[in-house]
């Protein structure tokens, strides 16, 4: 795996491990570090008929600083925190895909490692109980491609509602979310445009437009086996019906699913606790 892909894999691993961490009321260490292993299967790109399945074994770091954080909410810099509103800068990433391994994109440029970052507003909508809460996430992210250099590939807007819960004993955590992904013209062109030089008898030329990319629902659960070992699983369902570019010859399916399982083994943690 290329260095950029390794970096993206590690970036993806951190929030997965952090999501597996139980949302307990007792003080948590400022940092935890260990090893993450897991398997995941996802569409090669939104709307692809081909899949990408990977197994990874990576180091992870959870850090719960007052400004920079890599915790159950993701990775980023917390800029504002109030009782019901939080503003931070979030980071996300996705792994690359070789077009020669994707029937619909054969002969087209590869899809590179994508890094996404930008401001994210989180608004607490309700707290039905001491062990559950509902919030609205409103992130706007720039999309950066790392492939033979670094270049921007547009922006995405991904508002979603998130429900978080934990069991009374704190051993189980659950979350469910539902939202949409909207892309500007540039990022939609990246995935769905077919320029004239790549058109074939079965893949006509196509000009992509800005707009809805997909509608998504997902759920995850984690179980603490002991103080150092956690297991985690997730499933995510996407619908591309009504997408701005559903007529693209690269849009091969109306829906897609992703799933994965992982474990996190904490090898060390700080004696200092996180404090807000």
């Amino acid at each position: 795996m290329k260095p950029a892909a390794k970096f993206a894999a590690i970036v993806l691993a951190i929030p997965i491990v952090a999501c597996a961490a139980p949302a307990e009321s007792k003080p948590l260490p400022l940092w935890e570090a260990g090893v993450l292993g897991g398997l995941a299967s996802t569409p090669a790109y939104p709307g692809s008929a081909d899949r990408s399945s990977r197994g990874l074994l990576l180091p992870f770091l959870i850090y719960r600083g007052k400004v920079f954080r890599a915790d159950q909410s993701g990775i980023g810099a917390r800029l504002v925190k109030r009782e019901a509103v939080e503003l931070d800068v979030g980071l996300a990433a996705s792994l690359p895909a070789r077009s020669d391994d994707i029937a619909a994109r054969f002969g087209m440029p590869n899809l590179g490692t994508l890094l996404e970052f930008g401001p994210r507003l989180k608004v607490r909508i309700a707290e039905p109980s001491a062990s559950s809460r509902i919030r609205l996430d409103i992130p706007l992210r720039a999309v950066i491609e790392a492939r033979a250099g670094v270049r921007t590939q547009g922006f995405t807007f991904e508002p979603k509602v998130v429900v978080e819960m934990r069991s009374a004993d704190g051993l189980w955590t659950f979350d469910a979310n539902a939202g949409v992904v909207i892309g500007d013209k540039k990022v939609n062109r990246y995935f769905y445009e077919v320029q004239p030089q790549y058109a074939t008898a079965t893949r006509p030329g196509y000009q992509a437009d800005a707009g809805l990319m997909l509608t998504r629902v997902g759920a995850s659960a984690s179980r603490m086996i002991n103080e150092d070992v956690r297991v985690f699983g997730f499933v995510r369902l996407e619908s591309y019906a009504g997408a701005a570019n559903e007529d693209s010859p690269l849009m091969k399916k109306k829906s897609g699913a992703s799933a994965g399982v992982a474990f996190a083994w904490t090898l060390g943690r700080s004696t200092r606790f996180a404090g807000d």
Side-chain angles (χ1 to χ4, degrees):
M1 189 182 295
K2 295 180 180 180
K6 291 181 179 179
F7 172 76
I10 293 171
V11 168
L12 285 168
I14 299 175
I16 289 174
V17 175
C19 285
E24 300 178 43
S25 57
K26 69 179 184 180
L28 295 172
L30 177 63
W31 60 264
E32 298 178 59
V35 177
L36 166 76
L39 299 170
S41 178
T42 67
Y45 62 88
S48 174
D50 293 285
R51 300 188 64 79
S52 176
S53 299
R54 299 176 184 273
L56 295 173
L57 184 64
L58 300 166
F60 74 81
L61 171 68
I62 299 173
Y63 184 77
R64 305 180 180 94
K66 291 184 178 180
V67 177
F68 177 77
R69 301 177 71 86
D71 63 7
Q72 69 271 18
S73 298
I75 309 170
R78 177 188 286 176
L79 304 178
V80 175
K81 179 174 173 61
R82 299 291 184 264
E83 183 175 351
V85 178
E86 184 174 336
L87 176 66
D88 65 12
V89 176
L91 177 67
S94 60
L95 294 173
R98 284 175 45 86
S99 291
D100 287 352
D101 296 332
I102 304 170
R105 292 187 59 87
F106 189 85
M108 295 183 66
N110 294 330
L111 298 174
T113 301
L114 295 181
L115 306 177
E116 300 181 43
F117 71 94
R120 175 179 54 181
L121 182 66
K122 296 187 288 187
V123 181
R124 186 183 305 172
I125 299 174
E127 195 165 326
S129 68
S131 59
S132 64
R133 61 183 177 182
I134 304 170
R135 73 172 194 268
L136 175 65
D137 283 8
I138 310 174
L140 176 65
R141 296 190 178 115
V143 181
I144 308 296
E145 181 192 20
R147 179 175 60 88
V150 177
R151 60 184 65 83
T152 60
Q153 293 292 358
F155 293 85
T156 59
F157 177 56
E158 189 181 351
K160 62 182 178 180
V161 176
V162 181
V163 179
E164 297 176 323
M165 297 172 287
R166 71 175 186 272
S167 62
D169 58 11
L171 298 180
W172 284 93
T173 62
F174 310 88
D175 77 69
N177 60 81
V180 297
V181 180
I182 299 169
D184 70 354
K185 188 171 184 176
K186 190 168 185 179
V187 73
N188 273 305
R189 288 181 63 186
Y190 180 75
F191 285 115
Y192 302 116
E193 184 152 302
V194 180
Q195 297 178 3
Q197 64 268 37
Y198 301 117
T200 67
T202 57
R203 186 175 62 206
Y206 181 82
Q207 289 187 336
D209 292 320
L212 179 69
M213 297 180 71
L214 56 90
T215 302
R216 175 185 288 159
V217 295
S220 67
S222 72
R223 174 66 158 86
M224 176 177 279
I225 305 303
N226 56 46
E227 186 180 36
D228 296 324
V229 179
R230 296 183 293 272
V231 293
F232 169 81
F234 79 92
V235 63
R236 189 169 64 199
L237 304 176
E238 298 174 346
S239 172
Y240 314 116
N245 296 284
E246 63 178 333
D247 293 330
S248 168
L250 301 178
M251 184 74 78
K252 293 299 185 180
K253 297 189 72 175
K254 294 294 185 181
S255 62
S258 301
V261 293
F263 74 89
W265 181 16
T266 299
L267 300 176
R269 55 176 56 87
S270 71
T271 56
R272 178 183 171 188
F273 292 116
D276 292 329

